Amino acid sequence: MPCILPVSDLRNYNEVLKNVSKDTPVYLTKNGRGCYVVVDIKEYERMVAELELQHAIAEGENSAKKRGWLSVADIRKKYEV
């Protein structure tokens, strides 16, 4: 179950941080609307790495669409593997 707290609870941030774990972010609201999310640093780093990987894959797909795909034989020939 998600942990949703008002941002004013940050006055006692130690209590808010007790609710944060790798699989459980804390959602902070301001005036009844979602405003911030507090996540575990390892989870944040994993999310950033995943987004970077997705971006690199998308760039590769776009390049392949523009310039064409390489076959395994072409790559072996180019790098003599």
Side-chain angles (χ1 to χ4, degrees):
M1 183 166 195
C3 182
I4 302 171
L5 302 170
V7 75
S8 61
D9 280 9
L10 284 177
R11 288 184 195 120
N12 189 1
Y13 65 90
N14 284 323
E15 287 300 315
V16 172
L17 295 179
K18 285 181 186 178
N19 295 309
V20 178
S21 70
K22 183 178 179 197
D23 299 323
T24 313
V26 173
Y27 300 92
L28 299 174
T29 62
K30 189 173 184 180
N31 298 323
R33 297 181 181 267
C35 191
Y36 305 104
V37 178
V38 181
V39 295
D40 175 81
I41 190 71
K42 290 181 182 178
E43 181 66 13
Y44 173 77
E45 290 170 346
R46 185 199 62 77
M47 289 187 300
V48 169
E50 187 175 304
L51 287 172
E52 289 173 350
L53 177 60
Q54 289 175 353
H55 180 72
I57 290 170
E59 282 183 348
E61 287 179 339
N62 288 336
S63 175
K65 287 176 185 174
K66 289 178 185 174
R67 299 183 199 168
W69 294 90
L70 295 175
S71 70
V72 173
D74 291 337
I75 294 170
R76 285 188 177 145
K77 185 189 304 181
K78 183 173 182 173
Y79 295 102
E80 296 184 32
V81 177

